């Protein structure tokens, strides 16, 4: 074993913790913008975990964290549920738009242009000199990837107990025409990390490379290889959720992805692909100039990856667009009524009705094309005729099902030449639950569809019933391999309530992907493979494609929120495993034996090398030895500089370390929910500490500003409407270990709350001013004393306290300073306190000066007792672009700020903002300085963590 491998093994065994996700359910997510009521907090949070214990007695000895189990059972794969309605991407959008409801496209274009100008300045002689000085180097250093590039998920974080390698959300897959063991090209489009390619997808460890530098968006909707070999890439993610980011058009490559050019997509002087997602592309096999493009609803964002609240103003109608001259001219070939934006709605209220989810050419009849449409059904056109709707959902075009209804399908040819259609309808049962249907006469004038699913357990059709678990608009796949008419694959979320680790009976392995070889009548479960220690799939699948090997065992690739997996036959009968699942009823045993009668020989992760995780933040311990960072939907990760491992699953927000003992560390999920580890983040050591915060009913941001005190070991702060404080890591360790441990704690019998947080300042400490939309978004403590604290609220309030660690929490007082100093009334995105002077700080602002006056970076000096002081705008030539974080480097007297397009630097002696080199085009959501190691860390939202030598 190499030294690197030894270090990584040590990281896994000692540093990494168990998979835990947020406790609150969909109800809390729905109210995120305005906070949740006390009743909602009591109904969710700790009460939800109590209900999980009551309903599932087997969870008393839970192998997976109880908070994670409770959330999954409540939402059944709810990673999408909240995001469809409201979530971090919508918060980020609101921050930038405030005080308006939406951001004009021209404003965003100006911000992007400002960053481009900073990049140009950085390549000049003066710019290079300024950069070198800011970094404290003789010459300019470039950013370097730190990882994870496909990170390690430890055994305690997986459903099977087998470690895995995972990466970020992957939205689309495509292969070249043939695959051999030595040459097999696979393309992977991701939600925030752009386009990737491997040319050896059948290798044990494929080699991945990011491609598509010519494509200005990193949110990929579809990757499609045309019959003539041309590669098309549609931007904008079509998976219905609030962070499915709108795209910037259609691109094509004729050299296998080495270079791309934009395809003109203009109709009546409007780019119909701009600010929409492209869900599907198809090319007439008889005419490469005959193109079909399907657009779908996606959300407005400030960058190519951060989603947002509304459909962009003025976006073209969603539908199927057609060109017969390679894009020179277009017609809107197929469309129906779609949702419109309701500005007063927290979500915009415009969901997915009318969007096109898939376009396919008939495999036998070259003149026939099919298209599925959100909230309507399946359409077909023969030759130059008109479009006909050949399958209609039960509530076509209804606004009530706009956010949930989706149709997916696949085409194949029967021996007699008839077209067979496999069709998944997301709302087939009771307008809520998915079912599978099939037509064997798809070529006829009025195809007949036969219901294959069955809601009755123990019947053959139960395996395809509810296959995408109530979130089909987000993850729903139906596909059939060429020349295998009786084979069909279905994929979506995960049937958590069937898994033993969730207190279920073990009637399946999760049914994240199922396969049928008898024309959809019976299915078997592809979620776990037949290895002695089974490799399981990540939930939430968005794509599946077959490897065109031609010979040998069947190979297919599946893509999910956890990256890419290669699944390989021959398919093995493991129905005997059902005998050891003692909780099965006779009917459940029938299901189990069917599902496990043919499972893959191998589920092999292909994620090593895919650096596509969407990070929110990074923290580093005092000695610079360990880095932590939270990611959207993929937990909190940890690195000892020799590799990364997932420490906690679900949504990962802020994290931190006890300044006196780095083995004591903290992490947050979403909402005010946190764990503490007293033993270096071991897999069994995380204790839940947030009962008082949840019970308070105070409003908070999606990712709360959890902050570990830099001078007082054990003291941690969090921001809701008040700033809250715990002085002892969240509570007494013996009590927390016994009652609040996520894996073994006797949570249902705890005699008191898990966590001992207290709000600071009494009634006067409500920094929101009673406005639940004005919760605390930033909390920072000075390094140079034990008491000075800065805090900020969502709508621009800036406060300083001179006694934040007062023994009596009610005695803590604040001075509000933003009004006296004339600071902007916008979202405060970062506070960097000068280590040499606790009353001197640099403050960054999101939003746009065009909407609310003022700059984006300020130097503030204030008297913490009187609130009087000065504020200097340092924005200079930064331009009008929202800043997401700020770092002050004392040794070099320089500032670094992150934006939706990268990182910029400026020195105290030269107010010239220049872009730092080496980062890919990606939004950066957080910056962290490792003062001892003289490094700066960037948390990117789609390309993992990067580091820069500075200071």
């Amino acid at each position: 074993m190499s030294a690197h491998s030894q270090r990584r093994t040590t990281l896994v065994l000692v540093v990494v913790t168990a998979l835990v996700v947020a406790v609150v359910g969909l109800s809390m997510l729905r109210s995120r913008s305005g906070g949740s009521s006390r009743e909602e907090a009591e109904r969710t949070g700790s009460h939800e975990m109590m209900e999980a214990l009551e309903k599932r007695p087997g969870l008393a000895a839970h192998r997976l964290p109880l908070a994670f189990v409770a959330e999954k059972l409540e939402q059944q794969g709810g990673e999408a549920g909240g995001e469809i309605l409201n979530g971090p991407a919508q918060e980020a959008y609101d921050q930038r738009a405030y005080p308006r409801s939406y951001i004009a496209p021209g404003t965003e274009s100006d911000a992007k242009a400002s960053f481009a100008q900073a990049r140009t300045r950085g390549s000049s002689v003066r710019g290079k000199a300024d950069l070198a000085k800011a970094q404290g180097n003789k010459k300019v250093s470039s950013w370097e990837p730190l990882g994870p590039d496909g990170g390690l998920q430890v055994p305690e974080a997986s459903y099977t107990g087998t470690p895995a390698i995972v990466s970020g959300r992957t939205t689309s897959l495509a292969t070249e025409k043939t695959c051999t063991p030595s040459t097999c090209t696979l393309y992977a489009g991701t939600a925030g990390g752009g386009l990737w390619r491997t040319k050896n997808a059948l290798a044990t460890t494929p080699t991945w490379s990011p491609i598509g530098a010519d494509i200005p968006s990193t949110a990929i909707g579809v990757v499609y290889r045309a019959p003539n070999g041309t590669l098309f890439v549609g931007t904008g993610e079509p998976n219905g959720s609030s962070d499915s980011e709108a795209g910037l058009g259609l691109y094509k490559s004729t050299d296998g992805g080495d270079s791309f050019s934009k395809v003109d997509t203009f109709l009546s002087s409007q780019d119909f692909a701009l600010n929409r997602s492209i869900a599907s592309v198809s090319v007439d096999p008889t005419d490469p100039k005959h193109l079909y493009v399907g657009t779908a609803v996606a959300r407005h964002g400030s960058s190519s990856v951060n989603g947002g609240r509304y459909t962009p103003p003025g976006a073209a109608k969603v539908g199927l667009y057609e060109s017969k001259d390679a894009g020179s001219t277009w017609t809107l070939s197929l469309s129906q009524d779609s949702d419109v934006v309701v500005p007063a709605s927290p979500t915009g209220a415009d969901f997915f009705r009318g969007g096109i989810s898939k376009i396919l050419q008939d495999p036998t009849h070259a003149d026939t094309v099919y298209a599925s449409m959100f909230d309507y059904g399946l359409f077909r056109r023969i030759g130059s005729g008109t479009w006909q709707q050949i399958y209609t959902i039960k509530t076509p075009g209804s606004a009530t099902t706009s956010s949930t209804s989706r149709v997916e399908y696949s085409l194949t040819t029967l021996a007699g030449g008839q077209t067979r259609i496999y069709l998944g309808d997301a709302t087939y049962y009771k307008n809520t639950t998915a079912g599978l249907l099939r037509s064997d006469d798809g070529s006829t004038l009025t195809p007949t569809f036969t219901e294959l699913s069955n809601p009755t357990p123990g019947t053959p059709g139960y395996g395809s019933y509810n296959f995408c678990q109530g979130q089909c608009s987000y993850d729903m796949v139906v596909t059939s391999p060429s020349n295998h008419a009786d084979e069909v694959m279905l994929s979506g979320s995960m049937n958590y309530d069937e898994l033993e680790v969730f207190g279920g009976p073990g009637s399946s392995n999760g049914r994240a992907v199922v396969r049928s070889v008898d024309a959809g009548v019976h299915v078997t479960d592809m979620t776990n493979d037949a290895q002695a220690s089974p490799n399981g799939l990540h939930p939430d699948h968005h794509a599946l494609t077959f490897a065109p090997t031609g010979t040998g065992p069947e190979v297919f690739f599946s893509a999910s929120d956890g990256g890419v997996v290669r699944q390989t036959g021959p398919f093995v009968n493991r129905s005997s495993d059902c005998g050891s699942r003692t909780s099965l009823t006779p009917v459940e045993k029938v299901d189990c034996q069917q599902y496990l009668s043919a499972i893959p020989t191998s589920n092999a992760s292909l994620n090593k090398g895919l650096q596509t995780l969407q990070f929110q933040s990074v923290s580093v311990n005092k000695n610079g030895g360990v880095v932590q960072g939270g990611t959207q939907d993929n937990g909190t990760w940890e690195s000892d500089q020799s590799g990364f491992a997932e420490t906690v699953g679900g949504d990962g927000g802020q994290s931190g370390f006890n300044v006196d003992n780095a083995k004591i560390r903290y992490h947050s999920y979403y909402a005010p929910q946190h764990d503490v580890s007293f033993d270096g983040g071991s897999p069994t050591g995380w204790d839940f500490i947030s009962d008082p915060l949840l019970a308070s009913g105070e409003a908070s941001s999606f990712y709360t500003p959890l902050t570990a005190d830099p001078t007082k070991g054990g003291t941690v702060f969090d921001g809701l409407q008040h700033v809250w404080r715990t002085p002892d890591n969240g509570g007494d360790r013996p009590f927390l270990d016994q009652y609040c441990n996520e894996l073994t704690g006797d949570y249902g019998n705890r005699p008191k709350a898990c966590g001992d947080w207290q709000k600071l300042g009494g009634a006067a400490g409500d920094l929101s001013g009673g406005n639940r939309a004005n919760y605390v978004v930033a909390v920072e403590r000075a390094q140079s004393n034990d008491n000075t604290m800065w805090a900020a609220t969502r709508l621009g309030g800036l406060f300083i306290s001179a006694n934040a660690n007062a023994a009596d929490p009610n005695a803590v007082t604040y001075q509000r300073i933003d009004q006296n100093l004339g600071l902007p009334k916008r979202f405060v995105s970062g506070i960097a306190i000068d280590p040499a002077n606790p009353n001197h700080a640099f403050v960054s602002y999101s939003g746009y000066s065009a909407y609310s006056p003022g700059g984006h970076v300020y130097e503030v000096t204030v008297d913490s007792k009187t609130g009087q002081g000065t504020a200097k705008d340092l924005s200079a030539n930064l331009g009008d672009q929202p800043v997401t974080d700020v770092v002050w480097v004392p040794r070099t007297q320089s500032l670094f700020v992150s934006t939706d397009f990268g990182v910029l630097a400026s020195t105290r002696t030269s107010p010239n903002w220049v872009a730092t080199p080496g980062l890919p085009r990606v939004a950066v959501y957080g910056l962290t300085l490792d003062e001892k190691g003289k490094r700066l860390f960037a948390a990117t939202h789609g390309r993992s963590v990067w580091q820069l030598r500075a200071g």
Side-chain angles (χ1 to χ4, degrees):
M1 179 182 291
S2 67
H4 178 88
S5 299
Q6 289 174 333
R7 288 193 299 271
R8 181 175 284 250
T9 301
T10 301
L11 175 68
V12 174
L13 295 177
V14 177
V15 175
V16 184
T17 184
L19 179 62
V20 186
V21 278
V23 178
V24 296
L26 186 56
S27 58
M28 202 166 191
L29 281 166
R30 283 176 172 158
S31 60
R32 186 68 54 211
S33 289
S36 58
S37 68
R38 184 181 185 87
E39 290 76 19
E40 285 172 330
E42 291 174 347
R43 184 171 65 252
T44 56
S46 59
H47 181 62
E48 183 178 290
M49 289 196 284
M50 291 287 289
E51 285 188 338
L53 283 169
E54 292 170 0
K55 293 178 181 178
R56 307 278 182 171
L59 292 179
H62 35 98
R63 181 178 70 78
L64 289 177
L66 181 58
F68 169 67
V69 171
E71 187 262 350
K72 290 300 185 186
L73 290 175
E74 173 73 17
Q75 295 184 210
Q76 277 293 288
E79 287 185 8
E83 291 166 0
I84 290 171
L85 297 167
N86 199 8
Q90 290 171 318
E91 277 197 354
Y93 182 85
D94 288 343
Q95 294 163 10
R96 292 161 175 78
Y98 182 80
R100 297 189 178 187
S101 297
Y102 66 87
I103 304 167
T107 306
E108 293 179 345
S109 298
D110 290 346
K112 185 180 293 185
S114 294
F115 190 87
Q117 292 168 3
R119 184 180 290 115
T120 299
R121 288 194 295 271
S123 62
S124 68
V125 173
R126 177 190 173 187
K128 290 179 180 178
D130 286 344
L131 276 173
K133 187 173 182 179
Q135 296 172 355
N137 302 325
K138 293 182 179 179
K139 62 180 182 179
V140 177
S141 295
S142 293
W143 288 94
E144 300 173 346
L146 181 64
D149 56 350
L152 182 65
Q153 183 185 59
V154 297
E156 292 77 14
S158 72
Y159 307 135
T160 64
T162 303
I165 302 294
V166 299
S167 60
R169 185 159 89 221
T170 304
T171 55
S172 184
L173 299 171
T175 64
E176 288 292 348
K177 189 174 183 179
T178 60
C179 278
T180 68
S182 60
T183 304
C184 183
T185 299
L186 177 67
Y187 302 95
T190 71
L195 182 64
W196 292 71
R197 178 183 65 192
T198 177
K199 294 184 178 181
N200 59 341
L202 298 183
T204 301
T205 305
T207 302
W208 289 97
S209 299
I211 61 174
D214 307 310
I215 301 174
S217 173
T218 56
I220 306 301
V222 64
V223 185
Y224 167 75
R225 185 181 58 80
N228 68 351
T230 299
L231 188 69
F232 288 89
V233 175
T235 63
E237 185 187 359
N239 298 313
S241 66
S242 75
D243 66 342
S244 290
E245 164 64 19
L248 298 172
L250 176 66
Y251 296 82
K252 71 176 183 180
S253 172
T254 57
D255 55 13
D258 290 339
S259 62
F260 286 86
S261 60
K262 191 177 188 302
V263 178
D264 287 336
T265 48
F266 284 87
L267 175 60
S268 300
S269 301
Q270 183 180 30
D271 188 344
F272 65 79
L274 181 66
N275 292 326
R276 293 297 194 183
S277 66
I278 296 179
S280 188
V281 177
S282 188
V283 175
D284 187 335
T286 66
D287 181 2
K289 293 184 178 181
H290 191 181
L291 313 180
Y292 301 90
V293 171
T295 64
V297 172
R299 296 305 189 188
H300 201 314
S302 299
S303 72
S304 59
V305 295
N306 72 357
R309 178 174 178 175
Y310 295 115
T311 293
K317 186 174 181 61
V318 292
L320 190 152
Y321 291 81
E322 182 178 5
S323 174
K324 296 183 179 180
D325 52 16
S328 294
T329 59
W330 292 87
T331 59
L332 178 56
S333 182
L334 173 64
S335 67
Q336 297 288 334
D337 289 342
S338 56
D339 292 347
V340 296
V341 173
V342 180
S345 167
T347 62
D350 59 316
F351 293 106
F352 318 118
R353 179 169 49 149
I356 301 296
S357 61
K358 184 184 284 187
I359 307 168
L360 291 177
Q361 307 283 336
D362 192 296
T364 304
H365 308 89
D367 65 340
T368 302
V369 63
Y370 298 75
S372 53
M373 183 181 289
F374 281 90
D375 207 30
Y376 284 95
L378 182 64
F379 294 78
R380 182 188 65 191
R381 190 181 70 183
I382 301 174
S384 58
T386 58
W387 287 94
Q388 295 179 311
Q389 189 164 355
I390 61 172
Y391 177 82
T392 303
I393 69 168
K394 294 176 180 178
T395 56
S398 171
T400 61
T401 52
S402 178
S403 65
T404 58
S405 178
R406 177 175 177 176
V407 167
E408 286 291 341
Y409 69 103
S410 188
L411 305 175
T412 187
T413 304
L414 297 174
Q418 304 97 325
T419 299
R420 169 175 281 175
I421 306 172
Y422 293 104
L423 183 141
D425 181 344
T427 52
Y428 185 77
Y429 296 98
K430 299 180 180 180
N431 292 334
T432 60
T433 306
L436 176 67
L437 302 96
R438 187 189 77 218
S439 173
D440 290 344
D441 58 358
S443 305
T444 62
L445 183 63
T446 56
T448 301
F449 286 88
T450 301
E451 178 183 346
L452 297 174
S453 297
N454 192 316
T456 304
T459 61
Y462 190 68
S464 60
Y465 172 75
N466 199 20
F467 69 90
C468 41
Q469 283 294 311
Q471 58 178 52
C472 304
S473 64
Y474 180 66
D475 46 16
M476 183 184 191
V477 179
V478 178
T479 190
S480 181
S482 301
N483 303 317
H484 291 75
D486 288 341
E487 184 173 355
V488 63
M489 297 276 200
L490 310 175
S491 56
S493 180
M494 181 84 76
N495 286 269
Y496 301 102
D497 57 347
E498 295 177 358
L499 297 176
E500 288 183 295
V501 294
F502 285 84
S507 55
S508 76
N509 289 335
R511 290 194 288 145
V513 176
V514 297
R515 172 179 180 259
S516 173
V517 293
D518 60 0
V521 176
H522 298 83
V523 303
T524 60
D525 193 346
M526 303 288 102
T527 310
N528 293 352
D529 64 17
Q531 302 299 308
S533 297
N535 299 300
L537 299 180
H538 193 285
D540 301 313
H541 284 254
H542 305 288
L544 190 151
T545 191
F546 294 87
T549 57
T551 60
E554 184 172 82
V555 178
F556 56 98
F557 306 100
S558 54
S560 71
D561 279 8
V564 183
V565 171
R566 182 181 63 229
Q567 301 188 254
T568 308
F571 299 94
V572 180
N573 187 340
R574 293 297 295 267
S575 59
S576 60
D577 290 354
C578 300
S580 62
R581 302 180 182 185
T582 56
S583 298
L584 294 175
T585 67
V587 169
E588 290 167 341
K589 190 170 184 178
V590 169
D591 286 335
C592 180
Q593 290 174 334
Q594 170 59 41
Y595 300 153
L596 273 59
S597 64
I599 67 174
T601 297
S602 170
N603 289 342
S605 169
L606 303 189
N607 292 308
K608 184 60 182 172
L610 276 175
Q611 190 168 337
T612 58
L613 286 167
Q614 297 170 304
F615 272 78
Q616 303 295 324
S617 66
V618 170
S619 64
V620 61
N621 72 334
K622 182 175 67 173
N623 295 321
V626 178
V627 174
Q628 292 184 117
T631 64
Q632 189 168 328
D633 285 346
N634 274 290
T636 297
W637 293 76
E638 210 163 279
S639 173
D640 63 357
Q641 313 303 307
S642 66
F644 271 87
E646 185 180 355
T647 64
V648 182
D651 270 301
Q654 303 297 319
S655 59
F657 297 84
N658 183 309
V659 68
D660 293 335
N661 183 354
K663 288 186 177 182
I664 302 175
R665 54 198 60 172
Y666 324 98
H667 77 82
S668 61
Y669 315 110
Y670 62 82
Q673 301 175 97
H674 318 292
D675 279 349
V676 61
S677 170
F678 294 96
D679 54 5
S682 70
T684 58
W686 288 97
D687 297 334
F688 187 70
I689 57 171
S690 289
D691 281 348
L693 299 176
L694 289 169
S696 74
E698 290 195 352
S700 69
S701 56
F702 192 94
Y703 296 115
T704 62
L706 182 77
T707 302
D709 194 290
T711 65
K712 292 181 70 67
T715 297
V716 187
F717 299 89
D718 195 21
L720 285 75
Q721 288 176 241
H722 286 78
V723 176
W724 292 68
R725 184 187 72 195
T726 172
D728 55 1
N729 303 300
D732 178 63
R733 178 179 181 178
F735 174 85
L736 294 176
D737 285 348
Q738 179 177 352
Y739 292 103
C740 308
N741 183 272
E742 286 282 6
L743 294 179
T744 62
D746 189 7
Y747 189 82
N749 294 313
R750 69 198 192 286
K752 62 179 181 179
C754 290
D756 60 358
W757 297 84
Q758 294 179 309
K759 60 185 178 184
L760 304 182
D766 184 350
L767 302 185
S768 74
N771 180 358
R772 294 178 60 80
N774 191 34
Y775 40 77
V776 176
V777 295
V779 179
E780 295 291 341
R781 266 274 298 111
Q783 298 180 36
S784 55
N785 67 25
D786 289 343
N787 279 295
T788 303
M789 178 179 70
W790 295 61
T793 60
R794 178 174 175 263
L795 304 183
L798 186 63
F799 301 82
I800 189 169
S801 172
N803 64 338
N805 277 315
D808 179 1
N810 293 310
V812 174
T813 58
Y814 300 90
Q815 292 288 340
R816 182 169 182 176
I817 60 178
D818 58 288
Q819 296 169 323
N820 291 340
L821 303 184
L823 292 166
K825 296 180 180 179
R826 298 203 308 273
F827 184 92
V828 176
S829 58
I831 302 172
I833 304 175
D834 184 350
N837 181 356
N839 297 321
H840 177 221
F842 300 88
V843 182
S844 63
Y845 288 85
S846 185
Y848 293 93
S849 305
Y851 299 164
S852 182
H856 294 277
V857 184
Y858 283 81
E859 181 177 9
V860 178
T861 303
V862 67
D863 186 325
S864 59
K865 296 181 179 179
T866 67
Q868 300 300 309
T870 60
K872 180 181 180 182
D873 187 354
L874 303 180
S875 303
N877 56 4
L878 180 66
D880 193 7
Q881 54 178 319
V883 170
T884 58
D885 203 0
V886 59
V887 161
W888 168 247
V889 184
R891 289 186 65 255
T892 62
Q893 296 286 288
S894 60
L895 285 170
F896 290 82
V897 298
S898 53
T899 75
D900 290 321
F901 314 103
V903 177
L904 302 101
S906 176
T907 65
R908 192 66 175 270
T909 58
S910 177
N912 184 41
W913 289 101
V914 290
T916 55
L919 273 177
R921 181 177 54 249
V922 66
V924 179
Y925 276 10
L927 293 173
T928 302
L929 178 64
D930 171 13
E931 295 182 76
K932 184 173 182 179
K934 301 180 181 179
R935 291 175 302 171
L936 190 65
F937 297 107
T940 78
H941 201 61
R943 292 295 299 273
S944 298
V945 179
W946 291 64
Q947 63 179 345
L948 178 71
R949 300 293 173 182

